[in-house]
Amino acid sequence: MIKSIKHLLFIASAFLGSALVAQNSTQTIRGTVLDKQAQMNLPGANVILVNTNPVKGAVTDADGKFKITDVAPGRYDVKISYVGYKEVVQSNIVVTAGKETVLEIGMEENVSSLNEVVVAATKKNETNNELVSVSGRSFSMEEVNRYAGGRSDAARLAANFAGVSSPDDSRNDIVIRGNSPTGVLWRIEGLNIPNPNHFSTVGTTGGPVSAINTNVLKNSDFFTSAFPSEYGNANAGVFDLGFRTGNSEKREHTFQIGALTGIEAMTEGPINKAKGSSYLFAYRYSFTGVAQAVGIPIGTAATPFYQDLSFKINGGQTKFGKFTLFGLGAKSHIDFLHTKIDTTDLFANPTRDSYFTSDIGLIGLKHFIKVNDRSYFNTIIGGTYNASNYLEDVVATDTKPLQRNVENKTSQLHYSINTSYNSKINSKLFIKTGIISEVINLVLNARAKDSLQNWRQYWDFNDYTMLHQGYFQAKYRFTDKLTLNAGVHAQILALNNSTSVEPRLGLKYQLSEKHTISAGYGMHSQMQPTDVYFYRTRNLDGGYIMTNKNLGFTNSQHFVLGYDVLPVKDWRIKTEVYYQMLSNVPVTQNASSYSMLNAGASFLPNDQDSLINKGTGTNYGAELTIEKFFSKNYYVLITGTLYQSKFKGSDKVEHNTAFNGNYVYNVLGGKDFKVGKEKRNVISLGIKMTQAGGRYYTPVDLAASQAVKEQVLQGDNKAFSQRIPDFFRLDFKAGYTINSHSKKLSQSFSLDIQNITNHKNVFAERYNPVTNKINTAYQIGFFPNFVYKVQF
């Protein structure tokens, strides 16, 4: 494998040397300026690069397009102004010699008349979705790749934000304000996808490795509470991601090698320059086996294999509107063999051989068409596919041959349509209404042998159901300082006719140029993980019945208050307090501590029958963010959260949830050093420290486990009564970017050392049938991750 990589590097170097001709290695910043609400191009807008001498800038043409040429590599703030609109500053725009920078900039019309003096501060990290009042922020591809310990993963980036915890090196599940990771909604280009991760399983939203290639992402949104009414079927949070559009004027290419992300190749360019159509394709193939061969620990002795392909084809402007085709495909597999593990392995069982594969697919067609200068329709049709296959064998002994013990084969195919009508009524009022309909084809087939070695079929389902959602939302600006966002979301699950109607409300008031207060309320509902509905219970006559099929939605109500202050230039302090009430949570009919609020705390499928919607839960806490935006070649991000997460099962006793860590804080910082004769190259240094409270767990009943030679937990009175030690990790990242003097070429090298102190973070306390004791499994220790990237 290492020899193959050397060959690839040699071929890439030879290609670069022959394909690139000497030329001026400055670059171009270009893009489009438009009315954010009406999606109408704005001709005559002024676009300048801040702090350039002489000042570089441009004026948008009749189509709202601009182009600034001869821009030296570096970081820039781009300021856009237009008569009657709020000034916009897009900060920290990175320009390299190897790639053009293409921007799409939305502006908001002033409410007040032109002769009034309007006080309005430019806010950074505001969401792309303008119907947000609280608990939301945007993030960029550059941020995903900049922070130490991020592994080029959007979910792990979000773990740096206030209210989010992810003290698990093995997976990218994120806990938002004490909620289960299964409460997170993932949306890509308007299509909901159950789980966009390699090695994903039914009923989960996380995985060890993201299948989303960060090099194809554009600026995207992340919400942690009381999100706008267009988002439904989620109780915790939302990732609203978008793929960037390929360069419509010139062909560009990227080649990358990383210890975790593998070998990657990406190409983009124009299809028809006159229409502005373009393509973008990116492919990755893992080589974690190489990392293992050189002694880099990845949490298991088994070798994972994965690959993925992402693409976006922009059809450009036609008389029928704009059409865009996009997609994502991913495959992964891993074999856990008892001969290749030890007691520190996070996933494998020393008495079992297991084999796991997973597949992901997403394809969609987006259509955008203007109705008039103030209104438009946006429609996405497509499908998503998730499948997994898990097989487990009991290893042979002196007295027993190798035996198949578990067979679990699942797939979900979602056919979706998401269409919305958007209209800017006037400078004060904007409305959006739409429907989202999903036809869900489920194939669930799973069986396991019982203690008598008889097969027990606990899933056997192949059928369709539907989830229909509708929403209306409006933004009304009383003044340039006071904004109201209001809406309602409704949904119905055809499987059992469960329904919900959910009001949403948000208010934001800018007290002065530097101070803003906000408040939000949202009622949210979510269907159960699909495997829960179709779990089968065996009757006394030997037949089966699905006792969970009629479960309703789990409901939650979010209350949020926020305060935002800009104390000095490029600094922000933000705090939010929140309270969340959960109801209609599935629990057992007989008194027990079981609650669906703890789903997703393990790798095991949901295997509880006879559930009813009578459980409750509460999450509450306070968050603080202190942020120095990237300027003067450095940045700082400090986030902290104090929180509680509790639930009551059918035993009516309040317990800690599996996700109650009580606190989490992150300290991040980094600095760039410009080097070289012309200061074109950059050395980047970054550091991150995370500490989080240990999560609660139910202790093992050692005597009972020893009697049956498999793990048995203690009773309900001990449910989630003990905590693993607090999580601590210190990461350091160093990078070097080289911008060619004579070619349109940039190269970057980075080394991201995770857990630099090799701190032993506990993964779990579990029974080991080999040692016949309770052993401690630890998370990944010292982990160096390297990335080499070239753009041309």
Side-chain angles (χ1 to χ4, degrees):
M1 184 67 184
I2 294 176
K3 186 176 181 180
S4 299
I5 294 171
K6 289 180 179 178
H7 286 165
L8 283 170
L9 288 172
F10 175 79
I11 293 169
S13 300
F15 175 76
L16 290 174
S18 61
L20 297 173
V21 296
Q23 53 187 302
N24 187 348
S25 63
T26 58
Q27 265 297 359
T28 297
I29 298 178
R30 61 181 180 85
T32 306
V33 179
L34 43 76
D35 184 300
K36 189 174 183 179
Q37 296 176 335
Q39 293 294 294
M40 176 180 64
N41 297 329
L42 297 179
N46 290 307
V47 184
I48 66 169
L49 304 186
V50 179
N51 296 327
T52 53
N53 186 19
V55 174
K56 286 186 174 293
V59 177
T60 58
D61 62 17
D63 296 321
K65 299 183 182 301
F66 70 91
K67 179 181 289 188
I68 305 173
T69 58
D70 298 325
V71 180
R75 293 180 184 266
Y76 295 90
D77 289 349
V78 181
K79 183 167 71 173
I80 307 95
S81 57
Y82 189 72
V83 176
Y85 282 71
K86 291 183 178 180
E87 183 181 274
V88 172
V89 176
Q90 286 211 351
S91 300
N92 196 33
I93 303 300
V94 179
V95 177
T96 64
K99 182 168 179 54
E100 285 190 345
T101 300
V102 183
L103 306 175
E104 184 177 287
I105 301 163
M107 303 188 74
E108 189 172 43
E109 188 177 359
N110 287 323
V111 172
S112 56
S113 60
L114 295 179
N115 59 359
E116 290 184 66
V117 177
V118 179
V119 177
T122 299
K123 297 292 181 66
K124 302 177 182 180
N125 294 114
E126 283 193 336
T127 57
N128 298 308
N129 189 315
E130 59 184 316
L131 297 166
V132 175
S133 300
V134 294
S135 305
R137 69 172 288 161
S138 67
F139 61 90
S140 66
M141 177 185 72
E142 190 274 334
E143 286 180 286
V144 177
N145 293 321
R146 184 206 312 164
Y147 293 154
R151 300 189 192 177
S152 298
D153 187 333
R156 296 184 193 275
L157 166 73
N160 298 310
F161 301 153
V164 182
S165 176
S166 183
D168 186 345
D169 295 332
S170 64
R171 291 171 63 89
N172 63 4
D173 292 299
I174 59 171
V175 175
I176 300 176
R177 294 180 171 177
N179 287 283
S180 165
T182 60
V184 177
L185 169 68
W186 286 89
R187 179 175 290 182
I188 299 177
E189 288 287 328
L191 279 185
N192 298 339
I193 181 168
N195 190 328
N197 292 283
H198 290 291
F199 308 103
S200 59
T201 58
V202 63
T204 65
T205 60
V209 182
S210 175
I212 299 172
N213 188 331
T214 55
N215 285 321
V216 306
L217 285 181
K218 66 180 181 181
N219 287 8
S220 301
D221 287 342
F222 176 62
F223 309 110
T224 58
S225 186
F227 23 92
S229 59
E230 67 183 272
Y231 304 105
N233 196 32
N235 277 329
V238 176
F239 275 100
D240 192 350
L241 308 179
F243 289 171
R244 64 181 182 84
T245 301
N247 196 319
S248 60
E249 294 190 3
K250 61 176 293 189
R251 303 196 191 285
E252 296 177 327
H253 315 282
T254 299
F255 179 77
Q256 179 173 302
I257 295 179
L260 282 176
T261 54
I263 301 173
E264 176 181 338
M266 181 171 67
T267 183
E268 60 184 289
I271 298 174
N272 186 315
K273 291 185 179 181
K275 291 184 178 181
S277 58
S278 65
Y279 66 87
L280 183 152
F281 289 90
Y283 174 75
R284 301 187 300 182
Y285 186 85
S286 70
F287 59 92
T288 48
V290 175
Q292 290 176 316
V294 297
I296 298 176
I298 62 172
T300 177
T303 302
F305 296 93
Y306 46 90
Q307 57 184 320
D308 52 67
L309 172 71
S310 304
F311 71 89
K312 184 174 183 178
I313 300 174
N314 167 35
Q317 186 65 53
T318 72
K319 64 180 180 179
F320 301 108
K322 295 180 181 178
F323 292 89
T324 304
L325 182 69
F326 59 92
L328 166 68
K331 296 181 71 66
S332 53
H333 72 272
I334 189 170
D335 297 340
F336 298 103
L337 304 178
H338 73 283
T339 56
K340 295 184 179 181
I341 66 171
D342 56 39
T343 57
T344 65
D345 199 294
L346 300 184
F347 305 102
N349 185 326
T351 65
R352 304 287 191 270
D353 286 342
S354 56
Y355 313 89
F356 180 78
T357 63
S358 74
D359 300 310
I360 302 171
L362 176 148
I363 189 167
L365 179 67
K366 179 184 292 187
H367 179 226
F368 172 91
I369 188 167
K370 295 281 294 182
V371 177
N372 52 48
D373 285 345
R374 291 181 172 269
S375 305
Y376 62 92
F377 280 98
N378 198 30
T379 302
I380 304 100
I381 59 173
T384 62
Y385 176 76
N386 285 69
S388 63
N389 187 352
Y390 177 78
L391 304 175
E392 182 182 281
D393 296 332
V394 179
V395 300
T397 65
D398 293 337
T399 58
K400 293 182 180 179
L402 179 76
Q403 295 184 37
R404 176 59 48 85
N405 189 52
V406 176
E407 295 178 350
N408 186 323
K409 302 177 182 180
T410 67
S411 68
Q412 299 182 73
L413 181 59
H414 292 228
Y415 304 95
S416 303
I417 180 170
N418 180 351
T419 186
S420 66
Y421 172 74
N422 306 258
S423 183
K424 178 182 176 182
I425 307 300
N426 52 46
S427 62
K428 291 188 174 183
L429 178 61
F430 171 75
I431 62 170
K432 181 175 184 178
T433 185
I435 60 170
I436 305 170
S437 286
E438 294 180 84
V439 178
I440 308 171
N441 173 218
L442 295 168
V443 178
L444 305 173
N445 193 316
R447 62 177 186 166
K449 285 187 176 178
D450 59 23
S451 58
L452 299 176
Q453 295 301 299
N454 296 316
W455 284 107
R456 179 185 171 226
Q457 190 88 29
Y458 56 92
W459 281 336
D460 187 8
F461 183 85
N462 185 349
D463 208 341
Y464 292 84
T465 187
M466 293 178 287
L467 178 67
H468 303 298
Q469 304 175 66
Y471 63 89
F472 174 85
Q473 51 192 6
K475 178 177 182 177
Y476 187 79
R477 295 190 294 155
F478 298 94
T479 68
D480 283 307
K481 296 182 178 182
L482 181 61
T483 301
L484 173 69
N485 289 304
V488 62
H489 181 99
Q491 60 186 25
I492 179 170
L493 178 63
L495 177 70
N496 54 27
N497 291 322
S498 296
T499 59
S500 68
V501 179
E502 309 156 14
R504 316 280 174 87
L505 188 67
L507 191 67
K508 181 181 289 187
Y509 181 61
Q510 187 170 333
L511 297 169
S512 67
E513 183 180 4
K514 295 184 176 182
H515 300 265
T516 303
I517 57 174
S518 56
Y521 167 79
M523 179 178 287
H524 305 270
S525 299
Q526 184 176 11
M527 62 183 288
Q528 311 307 325
T530 50
D531 56 334
V532 174
Y533 290 104
F534 308 109
Y535 189 80
R536 299 177 4 140
T537 303
R538 178 182 287 179
N539 292 328
L540 294 177
D541 61 3
Y544 291 92
I545 184 173
M546 292 186 292
T547 56
N548 295 335
K549 188 175 181 179
N550 291 320
L551 285 173
F553 297 121
T554 295
N555 301 324
S556 68
Q557 297 186 68
H558 298 247
F559 304 85
V560 186
L561 289 174
Y563 174 65
D564 200 327
V565 59
L566 307 174
V568 293
K569 179 177 172 57
D570 294 325
W571 283 84
R572 177 179 70 168
I573 300 174
K574 180 179 181 181
T575 184
E576 286 191 344
V577 294
Y578 66 90
Y579 187 84
Q580 179 187 10
M581 298 186 301
L582 296 113
S583 59
N584 284 359
V585 180
V587 295
T588 56
Q589 295 183 21
N590 298 322
S592 79
S593 60
Y594 178 88
S595 172
M596 276 298 298
L597 293 184
N598 297 308
S602 71
F603 301 103
L604 301 176
N606 298 297
D607 58 356
Q608 185 66 52
D609 63 355
S610 304
L611 299 176
I612 54 176
N613 291 102
K614 290 189 176 182
T616 60
T618 56
N619 297 312
Y620 56 91
E623 302 167 359
L624 176 67
T625 298
I626 302 174
E627 186 167 12
K628 160 66 170 61
F629 299 110
F630 203 115
S631 64
K632 298 180 181 179
N633 296 317
Y634 78 100
Y635 71 91
V636 176
L637 177 63
I638 302 171
T639 63
T641 306
L642 297 174
Y643 67 101
Q644 288 287 349
S645 180
K646 305 281 190 176
F647 77 93
K648 288 183 179 180
S650 53
D651 59 2
K652 305 301 181 183
V653 176
E654 186 174 70
H655 304 273
N656 294 290
T657 71
F659 311 104
N660 188 12
N662 296 137
Y663 80 94
V664 59
Y665 71 85
N666 302 280
V667 180
L668 297 89
K671 184 171 177 60
D672 283 1
F673 299 90
K674 297 181 180 180
V675 297
K677 185 176 180 180
E678 298 177 11
K679 304 297 183 183
R680 299 170 58 85
N681 304 329
V682 178
I683 295 175
S684 302
L685 301 177
I687 194 166
K688 172 188 172 183
M689 181 179 69
T690 297
Q691 185 156 1
R695 296 182 186 175
Y696 288 87
Y697 69 96
T698 303
V700 174
D701 186 328
L702 181 58
S705 300
Q706 291 172 334
V708 297
K709 295 298 182 181
E710 64 180 32
Q711 180 165 287
V712 178
L713 301 182
Q714 296 186 26
D716 292 321
N717 62 325
K718 296 292 185 179
F720 302 102
S721 60
Q722 294 188 14
R723 297 180 69 181
I724 62 175
D726 290 354
F727 178 93
F728 175 82
R729 204 176 83 184
L730 182 66
D731 303 329
F732 175 77
K733 186 173 186 177
Y736 183 44
T737 301
I738 303 172
N739 291 293
S740 173
H741 289 76
S742 58
K743 301 173 183 178
K744 299 289 189 182
L745 169 69
S746 63
Q747 301 177 76
S748 62
F749 308 81
S750 67
L751 178 63
D752 190 358
I753 304 176
Q754 299 168 31
N755 197 0
I756 195 170
T757 63
N758 200 28
H759 186 79
K760 284 186 169 293
N761 290 305
V762 173
F763 178 72
E765 300 283 348
R766 61 188 183 190
Y767 171 72
N768 187 330
V770 175
T771 63
N772 207 28
K773 297 178 181 178
I774 298 175
N775 291 148
T776 301
Y778 293 96
Q779 301 198 46
I780 298 174
F782 180 85
F783 184 91
N785 180 31
F786 71 89
V787 175
Y788 167 72
K789 180 177 181 180
V790 57
Q791 294 179 310
F792 56 97

